[in-house]
Amino acid sequence: MKRVDKIVASNHWKTFRKVTTVFLALTFLLISGLGISIVGPLLPPDAHEKGVSKLSIGFISGVFDATSVVCGFVVPSVMHLLNMNTFFCSGLAIFSIGTVLFGLMTYISTNWLYVFLSLIIRAITGIGYSVSWFTLFPILFALYPSNKGQITGLTEVFFEIGCIAGPLTASILLYITSYSITFIIAGSVGLLGTVFCFFFMLPHSDKTDLQLETEPISKTDPEKPKDNVKLAVVKCCKSKEVMLISIPFFINSSLQGLIGVFLSPYLIKYLGIDETMVGLYFVPYPLTALALAPVFGQLVDHNWEWVTFVFSPLMGFVACLILLSLTIYESESATGILILGLCLIGAVYVTGYISSIVLLDNIFERLYQSGNSTESRVIMSSWNNITYTAGRTLGGIIVGGFVFDFFGFQATICTQLGLYAVSSAISAYAYFLFAVDKTTDDSRTSFLETSPDVSSPESD
């Protein structure tokens, strides 16, 4: 009887550790969503007061994502040095410290020094975010391998809660306190979350019980060290299937970077919105994504990932048409149309995000021949982060910075409209090539050329 009680108690403990690990991983998404989303409504007005150009603001906003792109190639090659838990907690700590430091930039009045230090701090913050992101999906997918769509939807729910809380908190705290206090509070919440993750996330002794590989990558497969991870990331570009999914996801992500750069100036200059109220207009987009994430997560788990993937850029095209129509309406009507467009953008993002991640994870599991699911998911997370942040860099620096600064609002939306037209065509082509025509198979061989040959035994 005592043996049965011990088994039951052990099972309860395993379940508790499993739920705790998932909760803390999702807490990171909430904190990161909070830290990222407060930059959009707060940075442009503060920078404009110091005489910083729109192009420079675009660079400050976009360097966060540009750094993440670089980290996508660098971080996986050094993940053999530490275990995943240590990487996850370290990344969250760096991200939180960077958020606090960025709030102190408001006290620098010199134009060039403000831009220079802001670029460095945002780059450091991007490094921290990337380090935690690379370990997020390997941890969660290892715990729930048969519920990838719902898990991805759940991650989006927590991230969007942070994105909703960020602008609301920014508006309230900016009204009550100041610019710097807003960032200090957001960063302090992240540091508190780091402490909880360090002490309460899945300890190493539980990895066998939960079937979660948290050890350094090189220890799981000594014949395939870190070089294979770096090689696989580079060779993703040679896989037609990976690229035809990544390019629409890249374009879809560009709209997120664009919103963070152009929305605040547009609201203040064209609609006459007070800067303390700007944060409220950042809410409809993540609120829609929050509401739709569980729905599309369920659809993806029921084999609707390809339909969702094709549907996303089509909605993006319509959203850009709605935003383009703002140029022909008065400010009273424009506010309602803008909110409608932002809600649709939320739907665009969540459909593209969930379907792309699940499709890429399935492809990487098939293409990666090492037999190490943790390693393949690290590569998937790395490639996904490269694609996502490169898209945000395109939207923030090129479209939102250069095009918006030199050619105005209408040219900016037309540029994004053209990108979505390309994305829609590529998504439809990928659907008919890989989802409808299952026999097309030239990209479905391994992109890892270092896999050892296995000779078949000779028959008698």
Side-chain angles (χ1 to χ4, degrees):
M1 189 67 181
K2 290 183 178 180
R3 180 178 175 81
V4 174
D5 291 339
K6 288 182 179 180
I7 294 174
V8 172
S10 177
N11 289 335
H12 283 310
W13 177 247
K14 292 175 189 177
T15 303
F16 172 76
R17 298 303 300 173
K18 192 174 182 179
V19 172
T20 302
T21 299
V22 172
F23 175 76
L24 290 173
L26 295 175
T27 301
F28 155 72
L29 288 162
L30 190 150
I31 293 171
S32 61
L34 178 71
I36 292 172
S37 62
I38 63 176
V39 175
L42 294 185
L43 171 62
D46 184 69
H48 277 306
E49 289 181 2
K50 296 175 172 55
V52 178
S53 67
K54 295 176 184 176
L55 183 59
S56 296
I57 294 174
F59 273 102
I60 294 173
S61 179
V63 72
F64 175 92
D65 300 305
T67 308
S68 297
V69 175
V70 177
C71 287
F73 293 96
V74 176
V75 173
S77 64
V78 299
M79 287 190 73
H80 67 291
L81 301 175
L82 299 170
N83 61 67
M84 285 193 182
N85 292 355
T86 304
F87 263 97
F88 185 85
C89 295
S90 300
L92 181 54
I94 294 171
F95 175 83
S96 303
I97 293 171
T99 301
V100 172
L101 293 177
F102 189 71
L104 301 179
M105 293 300 99
T106 188
Y107 297 111
I108 298 177
S109 56
T110 307
N111 186 308
W112 70 267
L113 186 60
Y114 175 88
V115 173
F116 177 72
L117 292 178
S118 295
L119 287 171
I120 293 177
I121 292 173
R122 286 287 289 169
I124 293 173
T125 309
I127 292 172
Y129 176 76
S130 299
V131 169
S132 292
W133 179 264
F134 293 149
T135 59
L136 179 69
F137 285 105
I139 289 174
L140 295 180
F141 283 0
L143 293 175
Y144 297 96
S146 60
N147 302 102
K148 296 176 185 176
Q150 295 176 58
I151 286 294
T152 308
L154 192 61
T155 63
E156 182 61 20
V157 165
F158 272 73
F159 183 76
E160 296 304 339
I161 289 175
C163 288
I164 293 171
L168 292 175
T169 303
S171 295
I172 295 172
L173 290 178
L174 186 63
Y175 181 77
I176 298 175
T177 58
S178 64
Y179 178 92
S180 60
I181 295 298
T182 302
F183 281 94
I184 290 172
I185 291 175
S188 299
V189 171
L191 290 173
L192 181 63
T194 303
V195 174
F196 276 95
C197 289
F198 184 80
F199 286 105
F200 296 107
M201 269 192 92
L202 185 66
H204 301 207
S205 58
D206 287 349
K207 66 180 183 298
T208 303
D209 292 336
L210 292 180
Q211 298 178 346
L212 178 61
E213 301 169 61
T214 58
E215 60 205 281
I217 289 177
S218 63
K219 290 183 179 180
T220 63
D221 193 354
E223 299 299 326
K224 289 175 177 267
K226 64 182 185 300
D227 293 338
N228 258 10
V229 181
K230 186 176 181 180
L231 177 65
V233 172
V234 174
K235 286 187 173 291
C236 285
C237 299
K238 295 184 179 181
S239 170
K240 182 188 292 186
E241 193 172 7
V242 171
M243 292 306 297
L244 287 178
I245 292 173
S246 299
I247 291 174
F249 187 41
F250 164 79
I251 293 174
N252 191 37
S253 303
S254 67
L255 188 56
Q256 320 313 315
L258 173 62
I259 291 295
V261 174
F262 98 93
L263 185 57
S264 288
Y266 175 81
L267 290 169
I268 295 171
K269 181 177 180 180
Y270 294 98
L271 299 186
I273 305 298
D274 186 81
E275 67 178 52
T276 60
M277 302 299 293
V278 164
L280 297 177
Y281 287 84
F282 282 78
V283 173
Y285 148 64
L287 187 63
T288 306
L290 171 65
L292 294 179
V295 176
F296 284 102
Q298 288 279 358
L299 288 175
V300 167
D301 278 341
H302 287 81
N303 301 320
W304 283 74
E305 62 268 25
W306 274 108
V307 175
T308 306
F309 175 74
V310 174
F311 191 53
S312 178
L314 294 175
M315 289 194 298
F317 188 85
V318 174
C320 288
L321 287 177
I322 292 175
L323 293 179
L324 192 60
S325 68
L326 291 172
T327 57
I328 61 175
Y329 287 98
E330 299 295 332
S331 60
E332 294 80 6
S333 302
T335 302
I337 294 171
L338 176 63
I339 292 175
L340 175 63
L342 292 174
C343 288
L344 191 55
I345 289 171
V348 172
Y349 171 66
V350 74
T351 51
Y353 173 82
I354 294 176
S355 59
S356 298
I357 286 181
V358 173
L359 284 170
L360 286 173
D361 186 69
N362 293 337
I363 294 169
F364 275 67
E365 278 189 341
R366 185 177 67 248
L367 296 182
Y368 199 78
Q369 294 180 350
S370 71
N372 186 341
S373 60
T374 300
E375 195 170 1
S376 69
R377 282 171 179 151
V378 167
I379 298 171
M380 183 277 295
S381 296
S382 174
W383 180 256
N384 170 68
N385 190 70
I386 291 171
T387 306
Y388 175 70
T389 53
R392 285 180 55 93
T393 303
L394 170 69
I397 295 179
I398 304 301
V399 183
F402 180 79
V403 178
F404 185 52
D405 195 11
F406 290 97
F407 301 101
F409 174 79
Q410 191 170 6
T412 301
I413 301 302
C414 285
T415 301
Q416 195 66 42
L417 189 69
L419 289 173
Y420 269 116
V422 174
S423 179
S424 299
I426 294 175
S427 299
Y429 175 67
Y431 173 76
F432 286 106
L433 192 62
F434 299 115
V436 176
D437 186 6
K438 298 288 186 180
T439 61
T440 303
D441 207 30
D442 61 337
S443 67
R444 298 189 176 220
T445 56
S446 174
F447 48 73
L448 272 182
E449 298 174 352
T450 57
S451 300
D453 293 328
V454 180
S455 58
S456 57
E458 294 181 3
S459 58
D460 295 330

